[in-house]
């Protein structure tokens, strides 16, 4: 492992992550960097668990999606475990899929049929929240060394911060856009019906509750149509 080159590439990746324009772009940069930076890595993706469902984010190959779906169906696997684990292990690894894997007896042989030779899963987390797992795949058994595992862990640590930051920024932009749209809708009601600001907001709120429609969607409809009727 050429750690000097790795450090330079990590520094470049960190700058690039901050420059991405969306959460999706950030995630794609993360998984692409995993393939480029971690020795032996052929494919990468991010798995997020929502209750009993999993979501595949920024997969570099269809193999990643197939593996995620398999883990969801079987309710087991290193990446599935990494994304659900609040305490304890932060890295999960299957070194060689040609060998028996007592920890994941149902997943391992089926993943081998997909073409997976070895894999690692790293919990993507910050101090305040858990975000899922960064998953690295190799078609060759025994492809990941201890150095590769360390490189993956370092990448995951940087990626978690970037992922969290990008998501927070997206949420903030969404909140600002929502507030602006609601303000515009209130202005239409105030100007068209002679309502006060409080009365206009109450009209939007009641319509939202009575029709089980989010307040942002009510405001959008009013702005587009000029009326709620």
């Amino acid at each position: 492992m050429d750690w000097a080159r790795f450090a330079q590439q990590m520094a470049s990746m960190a700058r690039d992550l901050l420059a991405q324009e969306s959460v999706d772009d950030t995630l794609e940069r993360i998984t692409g960097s995993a393939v480029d930076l971690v020795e032996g890595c052929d494919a990468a993706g991010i798995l997020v668990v929502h209750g009993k469902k999993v979501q595949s984010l920024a997969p570099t190959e269809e193999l990643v999606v197939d593996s995620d779906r398999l883990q969801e169906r079987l309710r087991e696997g290193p990446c599935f475990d990494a994304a659900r684990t609040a305490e304890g292990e932060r890295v999960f690894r299957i070194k060689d899929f040609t060998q028996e894997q007592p920890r994941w007896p149902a997943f391992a042989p089926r993943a081998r049929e997909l073409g997976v030779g070895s894999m690692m899963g790293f919990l993507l987390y910050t101090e305040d929240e858990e975000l899922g797992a960064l998953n690295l795949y190799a078609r060759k058994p025994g492809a990941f060394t201890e150095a590769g595992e360390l490189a993956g862990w370092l990448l995951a640590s940087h990626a978690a911060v970037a992922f969290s930051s990008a998501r927070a920024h997206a949420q903030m932009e969404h909140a600002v856009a929502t507030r602006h749209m609601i303000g515009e809708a209130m202005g239409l009601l105030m100007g068209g019906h002679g309502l006060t600001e409080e009365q206009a907001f109450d009209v939007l709120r009641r319509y939202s509750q009575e029709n089980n429609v989010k307040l942002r969607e009510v405001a959008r409809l009013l702005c587009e149509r000029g009326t709620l009727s």
Side-chain angles (χ1 to χ4, degrees), residues 162-184:
F163 186 4
S164 178
S165 177
R167 192 163 65 174
H169 182 70
Q171 290 170 345
M172 181 180 66
E173 287 187 334
H174 179 76
V176 170
T178 296
R179 186 171 65 178
H180 176 78
M181 186 173 294
I182 291 174
E184 184 177 344

Side-chain angles (χ1 to χ4, degrees), residues 98-168:
T98 64
Q99 298 178 0
E100 184 179 354
Q101 303 295 330
R103 184 167 183 174
W104 299 290
F107 169 73
R110 290 171 175 79
R112 179 58 179 165
E113 293 174 0
L114 294 176
V116 182
S118 50
M119 65 185 297
M120 296 189 290
F122 301 87
L123 181 67
L124 284 179
Y125 72 100
T126 63
E127 292 183 357
D128 299 321
E129 60 184 334
E130 293 178 6
L131 304 168
L134 172 65
N135 309 313
L136 311 185
Y137 294 84
R139 293 183 176 83
K140 178 182 177 182
F144 296 118
T145 63
E146 290 185 6
E149 182 173 322
L150 177 58
W153 181 82
L154 290 170
L155 174 63
S157 298
H158 279 73
V161 175
F163 186 4
S164 178
S165 177
R167 192 163 65 174

Side-chain angles (χ1 to χ4, degrees), residues 180-190 204 218-220 222-223:
H180 176 78
M181 186 173 294
I182 291 174
E184 184 177 344
M186 289 171 59
L188 290 173
L189 290 172
M190 292 165 66
L204 296 176
V218 174
R220 186 187 67 79
L222 178 57
C223 291

Side-chain angles (χ1 to χ4, degrees), residues 2-199:
D2 186 345
W3 289 108
R5 178 174 175 273
F6 177 81
Q8 291 176 343
Q9 291 176 312
M10 283 286 290
S12 176
M13 182 205 71
R15 291 191 295 269
D16 287 347
L17 287 177
L18 294 176
Q20 301 306 308
E21 296 183 354
S22 69
V23 174
D24 288 342
D25 289 343
T26 298
L27 299 184
E28 289 175 3
R29 184 68 176 87
I30 289 169
T31 55
S33 295
V35 176
D36 292 338
L37 296 178
V38 180
E39 290 183 354
C41 182
D42 294 316
I46 292 172
L47 178 149
V48 178
V49 177
H50 304 285
K52 295 183 178 181
K53 297 292 184 179
V54 305
Q55 183 179 12
S56 298
L57 303 176
T60 62
E61 291 188 15
E62 188 64 27
L63 171 66
V64 178
V65 178
D66 292 340
S67 174
D68 289 347
R69 289 173 179 167
L70 178 62
Q71 292 182 74
E72 177 185 42
R73 187 167 68 251
L74 298 175
R75 316 299 298 164
E76 72 171 60
C79 307
F80 188 77
D81 286 354
R84 294 188 308 159
T85 302
E87 298 179 356
E89 294 179 79
R90 300 292 184 177
V91 180
F92 294 81
R93 178 166 65 162
I94 295 182
K95 185 176 181 179
D96 186 348
F97 273 83
T98 64
Q99 298 178 0
E100 184 179 354
Q101 303 295 330
R103 184 167 183 174
W104 299 290
F107 169 73
R110 290 171 175 79
R112 179 58 179 165
E113 293 174 0
L114 294 176
V116 182
S118 50
M119 65 185 297
M120 296 189 290
F122 301 87
L123 181 67
L124 284 179
Y125 72 100
T126 63
E127 292 183 357
D128 299 321
E129 60 184 334
E130 293 178 6
L131 304 168
L134 172 65
N135 309 313
L136 311 185
Y137 294 84
R139 293 183 176 83
K140 178 182 177 182
F144 296 118
T145 63
E146 290 185 6
E149 182 173 322
L150 177 58
W153 181 82
L154 290 170
L155 174 63
S157 298
H158 279 73
V161 175
F163 186 4
S164 178
S165 177
R167 192 163 65 174
H169 182 70
Q171 290 170 345
M172 181 180 66
E173 287 187 334
H174 179 76
V176 170
T178 296
R179 186 171 65 178
H180 176 78
M181 186 173 294
I182 291 174
E184 184 177 344
M186 289 171 59
L188 290 173
L189 290 172
M190 292 165 66
H193 301 278
L195 303 179
T196 65
E197 183 176 322
E198 183 177 350
Q199 289 171 332

